[in-house]
Amino acid sequence: MSTDELRYAEAEPLLETPDGDGAFPRLSDEQVRRLAARGERRRTRPGDILFREGDERYDFFVVLEGKVAIVQGYGGGDEQLIAVHGPRRFLGELSLLTGQAAFFTAVVREAGEVLVVPVDRLRRLMTQRSGTSSCGHT
């Protein structure tokens, strides 16, 4: 077991960040199904890094099982927990689509499974959906 795996396996369980203002919506079954057709499922373990602060290219993730922490300053002395996401919440900043580097690090806190969608496939899906008259999503 790596140091990160051990660190997160022994950590206190984290509560998921509440979504009082709609900033962390859960995807519907239909949205997950559409994304799953363009991505792949990946098992996760505590300490797995999905993307790092400063990454210029990274994928879009949907948490299917488990919990993922969004952290600023990961691995440094001033590490700050930004949010915790659980099932059917997605990970990926606007920078994912604009080509800017990631502002935060996504680290698995509770083992589970994520759906990984490459950004080019996500863009195609968004373009296809915006070109239809009945999107059926928000």
Side-chain angles (χ1 to χ4, degrees):
M1 192 176 266
S2 75
T3 304
D4 279 344
E5 289 172 326
L6 187 58
R7 174 180 168 199
Y8 284 104
E10 294 176 348
E12 291 288 321
L14 286 180
L15 296 177
E16 192 172 3
T17 304
D19 189 27
D21 59 6
F24 307 110
R26 289 193 198 282
L27 298 176
S28 69
D29 291 341
E30 177 65 14
Q31 289 168 322
V32 171
R33 186 189 65 74
R34 288 177 189 270
L35 288 163
R38 289 156 179 85
E40 67 178 51
R41 292 174 176 260
R42 182 184 305 161
R43 297 298 305 167
T44 60
R45 299 179 306 191
D48 287 351
I49 303 296
L50 302 180
F51 56 85
R52 287 187 183 276
E53 211 170 310
D55 282 354
E56 293 184 18
R57 296 183 57 101
Y58 58 100
D59 296 317
F60 180 83
F61 293 87
V62 177
V63 179
L64 298 174
E65 297 174 34
K67 290 182 185 164
V68 176
I70 305 301
V71 179
Q72 185 172 27
Y74 178 75
D78 59 348
E79 193 172 298
Q80 181 181 3
L81 179 66
I82 303 299
V84 177
H85 297 298
R88 293 185 17 199
R89 286 197 173 158
F90 60 89
L91 312 172
E93 306 160 9
L94 183 57
S95 62
L96 177 73
L97 299 173
T98 63
Q100 293 177 300
F103 294 109
F104 305 111
T105 297
V107 58
V108 174
R109 285 295 305 264
E110 184 179 286
E113 185 176 34
V114 293
L115 175 63
V116 184
V117 182
V119 71
D120 60 323
R121 293 181 191 170
L122 177 65
R123 280 191 184 109
R124 282 197 300 271
L125 176 63
M126 292 173 65
T127 301
Q128 291 168 352
R129 296 299 294 157
S130 66
T132 63
S133 59
S134 58
C135 290
H137 70 284
T138 56

